[in-house]
Amino acid sequence: MPDVVLQIEDLQKSFGGLRAVDHVSFDVEGGQLLGLIGPNGAGKTTIFNMISGIYRTDAGRILFDQTDITNHHPTQIAKLGVARTFQVPRTFNHMTVEENLMVPVVRLRLTDAEASNRVAATLNAIGLYDMRHRNASELSGGERQLLQFARAMMTQPKLMILDEPFAGASPAIIDVIIERTHDMAKSGVACLVISHDVVSLPKVCEHVIVLTEGSVLTQGRIEDVREDARVIEAYLGT
Amino acid sequence: MKISSLWGYLGAGLALLVLLLVPPLADNHYITAVFVSVLLFFILAALFDFMLGYLNIFNFGMGGFMALGAYTSGLLTHHFGISPWIGLLAGGCSTLLLGLFAGVITLRLRGIYIGLTTLFLAEFVLFALSNLREYTRGAAGLQVSTFPDLFGISFGRGDPLSLYYLLFVICVVIYASLHFLVRSRVGLVFKAIRDDQLGTSVLGFNVVRYKLLNFAVASFFTGVVGAFYGNYIGILVPTTQEFGISRTTEILTIAYVGGRGTLWGSLLGAFALIGLQEGFRVIDEWRLVLYGAFLVFVLMVFPQGLAGAVKQLAGWVEARFTGSAQQEDPEQKASTGPAQDGPEVTPKLPDRKVP
Ligand SMILES: Nc1ncnc2c1ncn2[C@@H]1O[C@H](COP(=O)(O)OP(=O)(O)OP(=O)(O)O)[C@@H](O)[C@H]1O
Ligand SMILES: [Mg+2]
């Protein structure tokens, strides 16, 4: 049996009267690439925020590597090996591209030479090497997507959760993100990807979970799910 | 070597020359006193900026923190005959404890809340010092003895030059420590936290711990400076003018005029404001008004403070003489952003909307 990295059990979250996440359960295995799709407001980002400890859960459990991390602090969860990106890219805007990638490396306790080698290698791998001295605030939206993706990658996580990694990115950048995501999965990292991009997502994931109004509608292979009448209805409305 | 770092050495060299040579060459008690003020305000503003410019921590209690350092040293000498040299460290340690206490209760909060709590704590320190009259003599004033001779050098109040050089050494040690910290990996994380606290947390950094470290270092050094100050002025009175919010405001103004997020800018700020103040002695009571007007003026003309103006000038000169495009210094940018954002007042992490 492949090792389960993330277990979501009966997760719930309401905002006032709104049930944003309603009895959601699923697992992600090491090296698995799993998609999380659903219409706007389905609760996808809310699930991510609970996994990374930013929102408190109302009920349910989140297990990472067999450890209960429900409602743990974001710092602790990140230290255990969960990395994430944000739907609206977050970068350190008053720091250079290179410094942005230096920050996660601080925690790895490398020598100066090792650290700068690793940052340079990543900069090359994502094609931002020539921009390394630019301030992050000067980057385009797509470049900032790439930068926050690379920054999360630098933490050497066991689980990577990507919230709309392709939004606002050009095909070239999307290709880089897809490639690097596959590399990570090959080395055993579990990846959970939220995306509305019907072209790019199938290039990353074979399996998806479909969420509507806070609950899992269905899950399975992406081609099958796309044919599902309930999914079409959820996306197009009635 | 990059040309821009050459400017740094040039500036540092010039500053050291002026600070080391002008007071002895002038050989004039008034000039020495002015230079003591410049150094005191420079280092306090640099400490203030170390907290504000690098981690968005507003310490509105600087004055009270100084008072604690000054009184710790003064009282230890007065009641227990402990040497003022040890008092410098003791002042630092007691203020470090106050800083840790303030930090533990406030650093989970943001911006204005930290500012208010430090202000209340500092006011409480002053209140306690005024009211524990049996020990502190309150408003009657506590006599502080001079530093005993060291290496055959006299540090009595009749030797302002040796006191000045003592302060100079203290400032070099503090500045070097802050500079080293800011340039280190820890400093990198400081800047990351300043830019995006949540973004730094999800990379696995304990934000509160970094803030506490920053605050503890700044508090310790503020206490040391306070202890020196007590010995320098010779009599301690716990007035608001000396150690209250108006003192903090002066420090804050110098830090802002100097340029947020650039430690050395505080030296420019201190020279500018102390110079201005000495030039307009007659309006002493209006000092803070003058400070305010100058602050508004400088920040309107140079949004990044005097340090930003100097960097621009250096870049311009460099471009003129090398014909190359102006090299942008990332730190210069760093000082613009948060300054414009102002204090963050978002109170709680969990409710923050993360789209
Ligand atoms: N902090 C919050 N306060 C109140 N309501 C919230 C909060 N965060 C999310 N919600 C609500 O929860 C529901 C789910 O939001 P969520 O952001 O998880 O959707 P999503 O699936 O990520 O949508 P999208 O595809 O548009 O990003 C929405 O109705 C949203 O308004
Ligand atoms: Mg979302």
Side-chain angles (χ1 to χ4, degrees), chain B residues 60-125:
Chain B
F60 279 126
M62 283 293 275
F65 280 52
M66 266 178 85
L68 184 66
Y71 270 93
T72 304
S73 171
L75 290 171
L76 283 177
T77 316
H78 191 82
H79 293 292
F80 305 103
I82 290 173
S83 162
W85 292 112
I86 296 174
L88 281 178
L89 287 181
C93 291
S94 64
T95 313
L96 168 69
L97 290 181
L98 177 70
L100 283 176
F101 175 69
V104 166
I105 59 174
T106 61
L107 288 179
R108 278 160 217 286
L109 311 173
R110 281 161 178 249
I112 199 72
Y113 300 99
I114 302 178
L116 280 176
T117 315
T118 49
L119 178 61
F120 292 146
L121 268 175
E123 290 298 313
F124 175 75
V125 168

Side-chain angles (χ1 to χ4, degrees), chain A residues 44-45 87 163 194, chain B residues 355:
Chain A
K44 306 179 294 293
T45 301
Q87 187 163 2
D163 197 346
I194 295 178

Side-chain angles (χ1 to χ4, degrees), chain A residues 88-91 93 97 127-128 131 134-149 165-174 177:
Chain A
V88 175
R90 292 179 92 110
T91 49
N93 287 340
V97 169
L128 286 184
M131 294 194 175
R134 298 263 295 275
N135 259 300
S137 59
E138 295 168 27
L139 299 187
S140 71
E143 288 159 353
R144 290 182 65 205
Q145 275 288 10
L146 191 54
L147 183 59
Q148 71 156 350
F149 173 82
F166 313 121
S170 68
I173 286 179
I174 290 177
I177 295 177

Side-chain angles (χ1 to χ4, degrees), chain A residues 45 49 52 54-55 73-75 78-79 82-84 86-88 90-96 99 102-107 109-112 115 135 138 151-152 155 163, chain B residues 185-186 188-189 191-207 209-210 328-331 333-338 341 349-355:
Chain A
T45 301
N49 283 340
S52 54
I54 294 170
Y55 285 173
H73 193 275
T75 302
K79 271 187 177 163
V82 179
R84 71 166 294 172
F86 295 86
Q87 187 163 2
V88 175
R90 292 179 92 110
T91 49
F92 302 128
N93 287 340
H94 305 288
M95 296 166 72
T96 63
E99 285 173 322
M102 270 304 206
V103 173
V105 177
V106 170
R107 268 191 50 235
R109 300 186 191 289
L110 305 173
T111 65
D112 283 350
N135 259 300
E138 295 168 27
R151 194 178 71 182
T155 64
D163 197 346
Chain B
R185 295 178 183 199
V186 173
L188 194 68
V189 181
K191 291 183 208 165
I193 294 171
R194 176 191 65 190
D195 269 11
D196 181 4
Q197 193 161 314
L198 181 61
T200 316
S201 297
V202 300
L203 293 175
F205 292 97
N206 187 332
V207 168
R209 198 180 292 166
Y210 277 86
E328 301 238 48
D329 184 340
E331 248 190 73
K333 293 255 175 53
S335 58
T336 52
D341 298 345
L349 197 74
D351 286 351
R352 184 174 244 212
K353 173 91 172 101
V354 184

